[in-house]
Amino acid sequence: MQPIITIKGINKTYTSGFQALKDIDLEIRRGEIFALLGPNGAGKTTLISLICGIVTPSSGTVHVAGHDIVSDYRAARSTIGLVPQEVATAAFETVAATMQFSRGLFGKPRNPAYIETVLRELSLWDKRHAKIVTLSGGMKRRLMIAKALSHEPQILFLDEPTAGVDVELRRDMWAMVRRLRDSGVTIILTTHYIEEAEEMADRIGVINQGRIIVIEDKAVLMNKLGKKQLALTLQNPLERLPEELAGHRLELSADGNEIVYTFDSQAEHTGIPELLRQLGKHGIDFKDLHSSQSSLEEIFVNLVRPRP
Ligand SMILES: Nc1ncnc2c1ncn2[C@@H]1O[C@H](COP(=O)(O)OP(=O)(O)O)[C@@H](O)[C@H]1O
Ligand SMILES: [Mg+2]
């Protein structure tokens, strides 16, 4: 199947001279949830702004549903709904009027039935006559999604949909995004939460300092991100691992001098204390130990480090 978005050789240098995107190649599949995962400043907002025609590329091409985003901007943009990072709405409009207005901007004829469906889906139907200023934070976020969907786009971009949102609302948002995907909308979301990408995405692209450093199916990536190894250099070489220790996650090097333990660094229990206890019990002494992680893991650690 043709990708719904094709990005080729994209570079973006802002007028300040700062290069925010470097050699981006990316294809988005129709009907998937794609998470663009990266730390603050990585270039996530720049990339989606560029696909949505808000930022112009310095070089490269983007096609959305077959339309070039520069030469065929209106057609490309009409297939896209964008939920920006910041909530911004006219405070004294009503919910339904805001949605109708957004729809009008795209030159779409009135369609009250469609608007009702979206508002019901987003649990805003009861609030359709309410002024935006009276809505809770969670409702305002949902309204931003309703607005983005007002012109029946095939693709929905969500820029950091749950940044600064409490856990409960985050779960609601995730469920809602899944329902949208199930209704046939292709979803691209940006996030700096590993957990969000893990929870939501079919595929994940990791972006760092303007470069996409990996694009993987979620399951494959999570496996890579989560694995860490602990190597123990033994005091005396072992011929084989004791029965009790042999098996999964533990390997003895061919020369018998090193034991390598592979563990899930995201798990609550790494199993390391138990491993060390077992080794002690079997009288296996070690003189050195070191742990290793993939470069992805380092990026991951950087991503999840709590910000002040
Ligand atoms: N208009 C601009 N002019 C110059 N630099 C910018 C502009 N917008 C963003 N940047 C820079 O580009 C980098 C990427 O920003 P952004 O795409 O917003 O990252 P993210 O969304 O991943 O946090 C940052 O270093 C940011 O300071
Ligand atoms: Mg951003």
Side-chain angles (χ1 to χ4, degrees):
M1 198 162 42
Q2 279 281 96
I4 194 160
I5 300 177
T6 306
I7 300 170
K8 279 197 187 134
I10 280 292
N11 286 278
K12 174 62 187 180
T13 302
Y14 282 113
T15 45
S16 65
F18 181 80
Q19 188 174 5
L21 295 175
K22 298 165 189 163
D23 303 324
I24 306 280
D25 290 306
L26 177 63
E27 289 185 344
I28 303 294
R29 300 172 187 163
R30 192 177 290 274
E32 73 175 341
I33 298 181
F34 185 89
L36 189 61
L37 175 68
N40 282 316
K44 302 181 297 295
T45 298
T46 302
L47 181 57
I48 69 171
S49 302
L50 191 145
I51 301 169
C52 296
I54 297 163
V55 162
T56 51
S58 305
S59 65
T61 58
V62 179
H63 285 84
V64 179
H67 309 290
D68 184 291
I69 52 144
V70 177
S71 63
D72 204 2
Y73 168 72
R74 285 181 71 87
R77 184 65 179 85
S78 73
T79 66
I80 294 174
L82 170 64
V83 184
Q85 206 166 338
E86 306 296 332
V87 174
T89 46
F92 298 102
E93 286 275 13
T94 67
V95 166
T98 291
M99 222 186 134
Q100 182 52 53
F101 179 72
S102 287
R103 186 177 168 87
L105 290 180
F106 284 89
K108 286 262 181 183
R110 295 181 71 87
N111 186 344
Y114 174 74
I115 287 182
E116 177 173 346
T117 306
V118 173
L119 290 179
R120 283 192 188 280
E121 177 69 16
L122 296 172
S123 308
L124 285 171
W125 180 243
D126 293 345
K127 293 282 175 186
R128 63 193 179 280
H129 301 307
K131 289 197 167 55
I132 293 164
V133 66
T134 67
L135 301 181
S136 70
M139 288 173 189
K140 280 186 189 135
R141 289 223 175 217
R142 298 206 296 272
L143 176 60
M144 295 302 286
I145 297 176
K147 252 180 87 171
L149 292 172
S150 65
H151 59 288
E152 302 172 57
Q154 306 170 38
I155 306 165
L156 185 66
F157 284 91
L158 296 149
D159 197 1
E160 308 257 359
T162 66
V165 156
D166 66 40
V167 177
E168 200 178 334
L169 182 53
R170 182 168 299 167
R171 302 235 159 251
D172 282 355
M173 296 278 291
W174 289 346
M176 217 153 47
V177 169
R178 263 191 218 102
R179 285 200 299 274
L180 283 172
R181 192 266 312 269
D182 293 344
S183 77
V185 179
T186 303
I187 313 263
I188 296 128
L189 61 92
T190 74
T191 185
H192 61 270
Y193 300 120
I194 285 268
E195 191 200 356
E196 184 154 67
E198 180 169 16
E199 183 72 28
M200 294 295 304
D202 299 311
R203 285 195 310 144
I204 295 175
V206 179
I207 184 169
N208 197 32
Q209 298 182 351
R211 267 182 216 288
I212 294 196
I213 51 178
V214 67
I215 302 170
E216 253 340 333
D217 281 344
K218 191 231 339 248
V220 175
L221 184 64
M222 282 304 144
N223 218 6
K224 281 189 195 165
L225 283 175
K227 289 283 187 288
K228 215 168 167 177
Q229 290 192 322
L230 180 70
L232 303 168
T233 310
L234 303 179
Q235 203 64 261
N236 304 300
L238 267 186
E239 209 159 297
R240 70 173 66 86
L241 289 168
E243 197 83 17
E244 240 180 294
L245 287 176
H248 68 302
R249 307 204 293 178
L250 204 58
E251 271 185 66
L252 183 65
S253 65
D255 62 8
N257 280 315
E258 196 177 68
I259 290 177
V260 177
Y261 176 65
T262 304
F263 60 99
D264 181 350
S265 60
Q266 288 182 268
E268 201 170 326
H269 302 289
T270 59
I272 291 172
E274 175 58 18
L275 173 70
L276 297 183
R277 248 194 313 278
Q278 288 286 344
L279 292 177
K281 195 175 125 193
H282 288 91
I284 302 171
D285 291 331
F286 54 92
K287 55 185 177 193
D288 189 22
L289 87 178
H290 65 269
S291 66
S292 59
Q293 56 193 21
S294 64
S295 59
L296 273 176
E297 179 73 22
E298 282 162 35
I299 290 153
F300 169 73
V301 167
N302 189 25
L303 284 174
V304 296
R305 185 182 300 148
R307 287 175 302 148

